């Protein structure tokens, strides 16, 4: 199956086949083990006191679903041939489970980005009238709707089911996995927007980076940008420069990885590509876009600065100005302050 068009589903549904031998069962098990470990590590190392959001709940649901898939693969791999609830399971089902997960993950990038973007656009300026309990229930409901819709779309499309049956009947020693065009287009869009923003603010970004110095604040080493922009410069233009520095200060390795993958034309199977680090990368990008679009409506409260688990956006709005600073002797943990 080189490509399948899903007319009944929302979003583009187009996949590139990656043929691999059936004995990939062991390799799939190892890959899923590594992915689940990475998912839970990211969930543990993130900041704890983070404002609830749709993306946070979706990342948790993704980690749990990956863990469920890992347990299913492990159980099937160990027993090889067994019956459960009147159904017979063999190593063939390891490939089938992974195919279904890959197809489902592949069509969720657009809806997840859309819902998360709308969530931040509505809540970044505290314009939402929902209580915290109401927000949590709404996020849980949205996550369930997206997952159920994704699986329903995949399992209820006859062409997909028939193609899977044909592939596994006539290619018993291959397990075709699929790469999502949605994630590919999302990566291109993000890289292009970041590149355009850097090109537009290249002078301001370079000047701010050259003005960086390390000082001691509250007994901690702090990275301070002493650059003062022209008073005639538009506020949104100054903010864009600061947002870029904060975002790239955390996610530069990930941006470079995306550029390499895009220019090499690599096709990563969807069950690997949809992961918690990737979602948190998109999360920070969407938060930056929301801050820039609604910069005049942002309330400078401590709650607003706990929106992102990995990037601190606080000093993009509150400039650091303290005369009682001394040069830091040992720059350790670097805190970026614009």
């Amino acid at each position: 199956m080189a490509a399948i068009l899903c007319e009944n589903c929302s979003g583009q549904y187009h996949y590139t086949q990656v043929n691999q031998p059936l004995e990939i069962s062991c390799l799939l098990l190892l890959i899923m083990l590594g992915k689940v470990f990475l998912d839970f590590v990211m969930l543990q190392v993130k900041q704890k006191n983070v404002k609830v959001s749709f993306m946070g709940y979706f990342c948790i649901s993704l980690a749990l679903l990956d863990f469920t898939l890992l347990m299913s693969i492990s159980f099937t791999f160990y027993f090889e041939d067994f019956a459960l609830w009147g159904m017979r399971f063999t190593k063939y089902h390891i490939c089938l489970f992974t195919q279904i997960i890959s197809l489902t993950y592949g069509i969720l990038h657009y809806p997840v980005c859309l819902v998360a973007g709308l969530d931040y656009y509505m809540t970044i300026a505290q314009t939402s009238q929902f209580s915290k309990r109401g927000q949590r229930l709404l996020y849980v409901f949205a996550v369930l709707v997206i997952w159920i819709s994704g699986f329903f779309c995949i399992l209820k499309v006859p062409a997909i089911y028939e193609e899977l049956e044909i592939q596994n009947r006539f290619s018993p020693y291959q397990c075709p996995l699929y790469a999502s065009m949605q994630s590919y287009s999302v990566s291109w869009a993000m890289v292009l927007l970041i590149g355009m923003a850097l090109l537009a603010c290249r002078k301001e970004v370079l000047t701010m980076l050259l003005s960086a110095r390390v000082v001691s604040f509250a007994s901690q080493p702090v990275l301070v940008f002493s650059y003062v922009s022209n008073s005639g410069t538009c506020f949104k233009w100054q903010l864009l420069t600061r947002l870029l520095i904060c975002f790239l200060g955390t996610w530069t390795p990930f941006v470079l990885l995306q550029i390499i993958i895009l220019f090499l034309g690599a096709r990563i199977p969807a069950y690997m590509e949809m992961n918690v680090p990737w979602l948190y990368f998109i999360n920070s990008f969407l938060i930056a876009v929301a801050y820039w679009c609604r910069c005049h409506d942002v309330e400078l409260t401590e709650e607003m600065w706990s929106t992102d688990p990995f990037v601190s956006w606080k000093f993009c709005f509150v400039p650091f100005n303290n005369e009682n600073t001394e040069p830091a002797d040992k720059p350790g943990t670097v805190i970026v302050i614009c």
Side-chain angles (χ1 to χ4, degrees):
M1 177 168 55
I4 297 177
L5 180 62
C6 175
E7 298 178 352
N8 299 324
C9 306
S10 60
Q12 187 178 0
Y13 186 84
H14 179 79
Y15 291 87
T16 303
Q17 176 176 316
V18 182
N19 288 327
Q20 300 177 8
L22 186 62
E23 278 306 316
I24 197 175
S25 301
C26 184
L27 182 59
L28 285 175
L29 180 62
L30 294 176
I31 291 175
M32 285 307 303
L33 182 62
K35 186 188 177 188
V36 169
F37 176 77
L38 182 62
D39 286 347
F40 283 99
V41 165
M42 290 294 290
L43 292 175
Q44 285 296 318
V45 300
K46 69 182 181 67
Q47 299 178 24
K48 301 303 179 183
N49 298 323
V50 179
K51 184 181 176 183
V52 295
S53 65
F54 164 79
M55 188 65 86
Y57 278 87
F58 189 83
C59 287
I60 294 173
S61 69
L62 177 65
L64 293 177
L65 190 59
D66 282 341
F67 181 76
T68 302
L69 177 62
L70 174 62
M71 291 296 99
S72 301
I73 293 176
S74 302
F75 198 80
T76 308
F77 182 79
Y78 180 78
F79 290 100
E80 295 188 356
D81 191 348
F82 64 96
L84 182 65
W85 297 320
M87 296 181 60
R88 183 185 177 188
F89 292 90
T90 64
K91 280 191 175 182
Y92 154 77
H93 289 89
I94 294 178
C95 177
L96 182 62
F97 293 155
T98 310
Q99 286 176 324
I100 294 173
I101 289 294
S102 291
L103 292 169
T104 305
Y105 284 4
I107 63 173
L108 295 185
H109 292 273
Y110 287 170
V112 168
C113 291
L114 177 61
V115 175
L118 290 175
D119 174 38
Y120 288 126
Y121 186 83
M122 295 297 295
T123 60
I124 208 76
Q126 297 285 10
T127 57
S128 176
Q129 301 300 320
F130 286 99
S131 63
K132 290 186 177 180
R133 179 183 176 86
Q135 277 188 322
R136 290 189 177 94
L137 292 176
L138 183 61
Y139 292 148
V140 171
F141 176 76
V143 169
L144 290 176
V145 168
I146 286 179
W147 281 120
I148 293 173
S149 300
F151 281 110
F152 182 83
C153 178
I154 295 301
L155 297 176
K156 288 298 181 178
V157 176
I160 298 177
Y161 180 79
E162 292 174 2
E163 190 67 31
L164 288 176
E165 287 293 325
I166 294 173
Q167 280 286 344
N168 290 293
R169 185 183 305 166
F170 294 99
S171 303
Y173 300 102
Q174 292 184 340
C175 182
L177 301 175
Y178 306 92
S180 171
M181 288 301 296
Q182 286 191 9
S183 65
Y184 187 74
S185 58
V186 169
S187 295
W188 265 116
M190 293 177 63
V191 169
L192 286 176
L193 288 174
I194 294 171
M196 291 170 60
L198 276 175
L199 186 63
C201 303
R202 60 188 183 279
K203 292 182 180 179
E204 290 81 1
V205 171
L206 182 60
T207 305
M208 286 191 69
L209 291 177
L210 292 176
S211 69
R213 61 192 180 92
V214 180
V215 300
S216 179
F217 177 72
S219 302
Q220 291 185 356
V222 176
L223 184 63
V224 178
F225 296 98
S226 57
Y227 165 71
V228 179
S229 60
N230 190 345
S231 58
T233 307
C234 175
F235 169 70
K236 295 192 74 172
W237 198 261
Q238 298 177 28
L239 179 62
L240 180 60
T241 303
R242 296 181 174 192
L243 290 173
L244 276 172
I245 291 177
C246 284
F247 177 79
L248 294 177
T250 301
W251 295 110
T252 294
F254 217 89
V255 173
L256 295 177
L257 177 62
Q258 294 302 308
I259 294 174
I260 294 172
I261 292 175
L262 291 173
F263 279 94
L264 289 179
R267 290 292 186 268
I268 302 175
Y271 78 96
M272 294 173 56
E273 199 165 32
M274 176 74 86
N275 53 71
V276 173
W278 161 251
L279 291 178
Y280 276 130
F281 172 66
I282 296 177
N283 184 63
S284 296
F285 180 83
L286 294 175
I287 291 175
V289 172
Y291 272 137
W292 191 74
C293 292
R294 306 205 63 183
C295 58
H296 296 292
D297 301 321
V298 174
E299 297 182 8
L300 305 182
T301 61
E302 287 300 324
E303 184 181 6
M304 290 310 301
W305 312 133
S306 61
T307 304
D308 195 317
F310 290 97
V311 181
S312 175
W313 306 100
K314 177 177 181 179
F315 302 104
C316 290
F317 294 89
V318 183
F320 179 81
N321 186 12
N322 191 314
E323 296 179 356
N324 300 321
T325 58
E326 301 175 357
D329 297 328
K330 297 180 180 180
T333 303
V334 175
I335 304 174
V336 178
I337 299 182
C338 298

